[in-house]
């Protein structure tokens, strides 16, 4: 059994009106949770503190998998994350704030962890947790400020997840701070679905974080799932959770095994092995790249047969061979493939183009256009596509936040086209490399087919 973690005294004394309760699986806690809490404190100045209500990992929601590490470990990681959240030397979130001339409101003095649920061995319903908080609070308290995402409001419309007996308790005892984040269903749609299916109207305030400072908004693209994927892939975690917690996750090997998303079964019923959720995501991305590569392969092969311009050269930056392999690994590629160049660092790029462009960044439209033109001349190719960018999630050390971005250029007899690609910066290095390569081929196909 995990002992109750005492909150700082100041946190215990403040009334519900000054406290935002933030339910958390802690699997694991990351900068996404800290950024969301920070955004809520900025949106509602009356809240002076955030209490993360840590789950014991046994979800009553049948659509949710249990925690992958034990409750004591998740509590330790949560405490590490909160302790280092506001320190720029330990927190990439705080470092980004400092670079923007800002500071965090969230920190050890304004955040804590409720471990009430960790005393239970079975699944704890939200209504039960709310009842416990109400029973332990001094009399005369107002409604509990309970933070939820629009996805949770939608799940409240499902009677298999939230029982009929629980909804009156939840509607009576809480006032909900509904967090509406970019890319998720709107709060209005989720609340309307709950009214339509269950006849329940939640007392709530909707908070949009679409216009929070840019340095803070970036972290809202992170999730616990992406942190687990990065850990499984062996990618850096320092840009996803505070340094102490990140180091602990890496050192102990947490999440390296991955969460099983599917099991492969042979026609005879014999199990061939599992696929983790991250492996499935990589395989989906690879399937998209393979399909695009086949389209380019077929197009250039037809042009070869018709004696039309078809010779191809490639310049790769951060994708490290993925783009080349997608075409060169196919029988018949010699009909059109002329040359590929892996120009990873600045000097390699200078060696190819002869001089450095005026634009100082190695990842820019000007740079990739110069690379594509240079290798096209050197290889005496009809077409050339070049890529340069930043694969992998942020490491928490570099100041730049260009992760997940790449710049592309494709040149040919018909002219030149460029593109800038911006993906979720917290995807794994492998996913970025595959998707950048797919986008490069799509741009090449546009130029060849124009």
């Amino acid at each position: 059994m995990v002992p109750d973690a005492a909150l700082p005294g100041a946190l215990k004394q403040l009334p519900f009106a000054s406290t935002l309760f933030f339910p958390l699986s802690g699997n694991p806690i990351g900068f996404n949770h800290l950024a969301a809490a920070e955004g809520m404190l900025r949106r509602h100045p009356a809240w002076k503190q955030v209490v993360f209500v840590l789950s014991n990992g046994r979800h009553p929601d049948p659509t949710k998998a249990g925690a992958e590490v034990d409750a004591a470990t998740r509590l330790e990681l949560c405490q590490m994350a909160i302790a280092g959240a506001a320190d720029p030397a330990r927190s990439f979130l705080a470092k980004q704030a400092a670079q923007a001339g800002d500071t965090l409101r969230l920190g050890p003095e304004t955040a804590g962890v409720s471990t009430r649920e960790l005393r239970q061995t079975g699944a704890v319903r939200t209504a039960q947790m709310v009842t416990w908080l109400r029973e332990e609070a001094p009399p005369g308290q107002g409604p509990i400020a309970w933070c939820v995402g629009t996805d949770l409001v939608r799940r409240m419309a499902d009677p298999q997840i939230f029982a009929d007996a629980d909804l009156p308790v939840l509607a009576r005892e809480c006032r909900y701070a509904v967090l509406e984040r970019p890319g998720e269903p709107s709060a209005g749609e989720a609340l309307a679905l709950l009214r339509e299916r269950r006849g329940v109207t939640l007392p709530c305030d909707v908070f949009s974080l679409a216009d929070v400072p840019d340095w803070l908004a970036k972290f809202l693209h992170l999730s616990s799932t992406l942190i687990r994927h990065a850990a499984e892939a062996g990618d850096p975690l320092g840009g996803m959770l505070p340094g102490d917690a990140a180091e602990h996750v890496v050192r102990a090997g947490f999440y390296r095994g991955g969460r099983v998303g599917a099991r492969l079964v042979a026609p005879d019923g014999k199990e061939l092995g599992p696929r983790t959720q991250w492996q499935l995501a990589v395989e989906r991305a690879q399937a998209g790249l393979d399909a695009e590569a086949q389209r380019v392969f077929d197009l250039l092969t037809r042009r070869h047969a018709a004696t039309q311009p078809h010779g191809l050269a490639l310049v790769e930056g951060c994708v490290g061979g993925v783009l080349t392999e997608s075409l060169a690994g196919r029988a018949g590629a010699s009909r059109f493939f002329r040359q590929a160049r892996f120009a990873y660092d600045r000097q390699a790029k200078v060696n190819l183009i002869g001089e450095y462009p005026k634009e100082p960044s190695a990842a820019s439209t000007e740079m990739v256009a110069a690379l594509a033109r240079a290798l096209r001349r050197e290889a005496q190719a009809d077409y050339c596509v070049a890529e340069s960018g930043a694969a992998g999630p942020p490491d928490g050390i570099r100041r730049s936040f260009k992760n997940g971005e790449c710049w592309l250029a494709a040149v040919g007899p018909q002219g030149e086209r460029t593109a800038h690609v911006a993906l979720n910066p917290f995807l794994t290095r492998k996913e970025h490399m595959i998707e950048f390569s797919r986008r490069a081929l799509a741009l090449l196909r546009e130029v060849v087919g124009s």
Side-chain angles (χ1 to χ4, degrees):
M1 180 179 293
V2 179
D4 195 7
L7 298 173
L11 294 180
K12 282 189 173 181
Q13 300 304 316
L14 292 182
F16 284 164
S18 300
T19 303
L20 175 65
F21 289 88
F22 196 121
L24 181 71
S25 69
N27 195 28
I29 185 173
F31 285 136
N32 50 314
H33 303 105
L34 301 178
E38 173 72 18
M40 299 297 268
L41 291 180
R42 288 168 178 256
R43 282 284 176 270
H44 194 57
W47 289 327
K48 305 301 181 185
Q49 65 184 16
V50 174
V51 174
F52 292 103
V53 182
L54 186 61
S55 164
N56 66 8
R58 295 171 176 82
H59 290 287
D61 183 345
T63 67
K64 293 287 187 178
E68 293 161 89
V69 298
D70 63 82
T73 298
R74 288 184 296 110
L75 172 59
E76 183 180 15
L77 291 173
C78 285
Q79 292 171 325
M80 286 180 176
I82 291 172
D87 182 357
R90 301 157 67 191
S91 165
F92 190 50
L93 176 64
K95 180 188 292 187
Q96 291 285 306
Q99 288 177 199
D102 209 339
T103 56
L104 294 179
R105 291 160 174 76
L106 190 75
E109 294 76 26
T110 57
V113 183
S114 168
T115 60
R116 179 63 175 82
E117 186 173 323
L118 301 187
R119 305 177 206 171
Q120 308 301 312
T121 57
V124 176
R125 305 186 323 276
T126 303
Q128 184 62 62
M129 186 69 227
V130 167
T131 299
W132 290 334
L133 290 172
R134 176 64 70 187
E135 291 173 348
E136 294 173 358
Q141 294 274 8
I144 298 172
W146 195 263
C147 183
V148 295
T150 56
D151 58 335
L152 181 62
V153 177
R154 291 179 65 86
R155 292 203 296 274
M156 291 176 74
D158 186 342
Q160 292 186 329
I161 301 175
F162 284 83
D164 290 338
D166 289 345
L167 291 181
V169 176
L170 296 174
R172 181 180 67 248
E173 301 295 348
C174 297
R175 183 168 187 87
Y176 293 87
V178 181
L179 177 58
E180 194 174 53
R181 296 191 296 184
E184 293 186 353
S186 73
E189 293 173 351
L191 292 165
L193 181 68
L194 180 59
R195 286 193 298 270
E196 175 187 340
R197 293 189 179 178
R198 309 295 296 276
V200 172
T201 299
L202 291 183
C204 67
D205 300 294
V206 177
F207 295 86
S208 173
L209 298 185
D211 58 347
V212 296
D214 184 57
W215 63 264
L216 182 61
K218 295 171 182 175
F219 292 95
L220 300 178
H221 297 285
L222 181 61
S223 69
S224 294
T225 297
L226 294 181
I227 297 174
R228 294 195 300 270
H229 286 183
E232 180 182 348
D235 284 346
L237 301 180
M240 299 182 168
L241 61 165
D244 295 346
E247 290 173 7
H248 189 37
V249 170
V250 172
R251 186 169 56 251
F254 298 136
Y255 310 109
R256 287 303 300 268
R259 176 175 285 175
V260 174
R263 296 187 181 278
L264 301 184
V265 179
D268 61 2
K270 181 180 179 181
E271 184 172 317
L272 301 177
R275 287 289 186 273
T276 66
Q277 291 180 341
W278 175 66
Q279 288 172 332
L280 292 173
V282 169
E283 289 174 4
R284 285 192 295 270
Q286 185 65 49
L289 171 59
D290 291 343
E292 188 61 60
Q294 187 64 57
R295 287 189 282 268
V296 170
F297 180 93
D298 292 343
L299 176 59
L300 293 176
T301 300
R302 289 195 301 270
R303 293 181 70 85
H304 170 268
T307 65
Q308 296 174 324
H310 57 274
L312 176 66
L314 305 174
V315 184
E316 297 187 77
C318 71
V319 299
V322 173
L323 177 57
T324 297
E325 192 278 334
S326 70
L327 292 174
R330 297 169 184 268
S334 60
R335 298 188 188 103
F336 58 81
F337 211 119
R338 298 292 178 267
Q339 185 181 151
R341 181 74 67 86
F342 182 30
Y344 194 73
D345 69 0
R346 290 191 175 201
Q347 188 58 51
K349 293 177 171 65
V350 171
N351 292 344
L352 177 57
I353 62 180
E355 62 179 354
Y356 209 75
K358 295 178 182 179
E359 167 61 48
S361 176
S364 66
T365 297
E366 184 179 0
M367 173 62 80
V368 290
L371 291 169
R373 291 191 293 265
L375 189 62
R376 181 180 178 234
R377 289 191 302 268
E378 178 183 308
Q380 298 182 13
D382 299 300
Y383 299 97
C384 184
V385 63
E387 166 277 325
S388 185
D395 59 12
I397 299 173
R398 294 181 178 87
R399 293 170 59 90
S400 172
F401 213 119
K402 285 187 175 181
N403 303 75
E405 295 185 63
C406 80
W407 285 258
L408 304 170
V411 296
Q414 299 92 336
E416 176 181 302
R417 293 191 186 183
T418 60
H420 172 232
V421 177
L423 307 177
N424 186 327
F426 299 104
L427 292 175
T428 61
R429 177 177 295 272
K430 187 69 171 178
E431 290 169 283
H432 282 150
M433 293 168 70
I434 294 172
E435 182 60 17
F436 290 166
S437 299
R438 187 190 72 80
R439 300 289 186 97
L441 290 178
L443 184 66
L444 171 64
R445 185 162 53 86
E446 289 180 14
V447 170
V448 175
S450 63

